């Protein structure tokens, strides 16, 4: 007996083909902007990097809510970028939002992302104390 592996379209019967394409398109754009933002930040182009990361959040919110795993992932990147540039007020704002979202979920958003939130939170607030 051979078992046919189901496609995403077959597994998520609540979404018809066109809805699946729309969801995939938004997440594709979100991940594109996230990667583009990370590259810009790596080049020390903070303004453009954060602009791209905010586009990633906007795209993710088209399909999910602002409390989704993807939005938290992008908020963490924004917080790290501000922290890297010693803009602690903004860094605290984004990392605190990420922490609040993770802790408000009945089941914590993927434990790896929550661990990243906690480490980044500690680094940002430790930096503030040492300043």
């Amino acid at each position: 007996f051979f078992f046919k592996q189901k496609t995403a379209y077959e597994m998520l019967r609540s979404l018809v083909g066109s809805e699946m394409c729309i969801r995939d398109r938004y997440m594709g754009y979100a991940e594109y902007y996230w990667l583009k933002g990370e590259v810009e930040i790596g080049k020390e182009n903070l303004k453009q990097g954060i602009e791209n990361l905010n586009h990633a959040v906007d795209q993710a919110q088209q399909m999910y809510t602002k409390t989704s795993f993807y939005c938290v992932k992008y908020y963490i990147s924004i917080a790290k970028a501000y922290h890297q540039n010693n803009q602690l007020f903004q860094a605290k704002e984004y990392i605190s939002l990420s922490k609040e979202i993770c802790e408000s979920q009945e089941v914590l958003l993927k434990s790896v992302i929550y661990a990243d939130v906690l480490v980044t939170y500690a680094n940002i607030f430790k930096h503030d104390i040492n300043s």
Side-chain angles (χ1 to χ4, degrees), residues 51-62:
E51 189 175 305
N52 284 315
L53 291 170
N54 280 317
H55 283 310
V57 170
D58 292 342
Q59 291 298 317
Q61 286 178 353
Q62 293 292 324

Side-chain angles (χ1 to χ4, degrees), residues 1-2 4-6 35 42 76 88 104 106 114-116:
F1 289 88
F2 290 98
K4 181 182 176 274
Q5 186 173 354
K6 290 186 176 187
L35 289 171
I76 294 168
L88 296 180
S104 71
E106 253 180 58
Y114 187 57
D116 195 16

Side-chain angles (χ1 to χ4, degrees), residues 38 41 46 49-50 53 76-87 91:
E38 290 287 314
I41 290 165
L46 181 70
I50 289 179
L53 291 170
I76 294 168
S77 292
I78 294 169
K80 287 178 178 179
Y82 279 128
H83 182 238
Q84 179 181 326
N85 246 9
N86 292 319
Q87 295 180 7

Side-chain angles (χ1 to χ4, degrees), residues 1 7 36 47 61 63 82:
F1 289 88
T7 66
K36 192 173 176 185
K47 184 178 178 190
Q61 286 178 353
M63 198 56 220
Y82 279 128

